[in-house]
Amino acid sequence: MSDDSAWQRPGPGGELGPESAPPAVPPVGYSGPPPSDPPPADWRPPTYVQPPPPRQLAPQDVDKIEAQEKEARTLTYGVALVAAAVLVVLSCLLCSRVLF
C-alpha cells in the first residue's frame, strides 16, 4: 500500500481497490495492560556511602520566642497607626483644598 493510496479516487464502479481497503477495526473493550516482566533482583546499584545520622535540633526558648513575637506585633501596630495618621492628615488636607 503506497502512502498516497488513501487519497486516490475509487474505481469506475465506485468500489475501492484492494490497496485502499479500510484498515481492520480494532477489537472493542479494554484487554488490560501488556504483560511485563519483573526487574531482576540486583537491578539497583550498590550503595557504598551511608549518610550520617541526623543531628539534634537546638533547644528552643519558648518564653524568649513569645517575647520577640510580642515586640514584633507592637512594632507592627505602631507602624500601622503612624501610617493611618498620615493618611488621615493627607485626606483632611485634600478635602479642605476641595471645599475651600
Side-chain angles (χ1 to χ4, degrees), residues 2-100:
S2 68
D3 292 337
D4 295 334
S5 62
W7 302 104
Q8 291 178 356
R9 291 182 174 217
E15 69 277 347
L16 297 173
E19 304 165 347
S20 60
V25 178
V28 178
Y30 180 64
S31 62
S36 63
D37 297 329
D42 58 349
W43 69 275
R44 292 180 188 255
T47 304
Y48 296 109
V49 178
Q50 293 294 330
R55 297 176 293 164
Q56 290 290 337
L57 292 175
Q60 296 181 355
D61 186 5
V62 178
D63 295 332
K64 185 177 178 181
I65 293 172
E66 293 292 329
Q68 289 175 345
E69 286 179 353
K70 185 177 179 182
E71 290 174 9
R73 184 174 49 243
T74 304
L75 176 67
T76 302
Y77 287 160
V79 170
L81 286 174
V82 168
V86 167
L87 287 175
V88 166
V89 168
L90 285 176
S91 63
C92 287
L93 286 174
L94 288 175
C95 289
S96 66
R97 184 98 162 125
V98 170
L99 295 176
F100 299 113

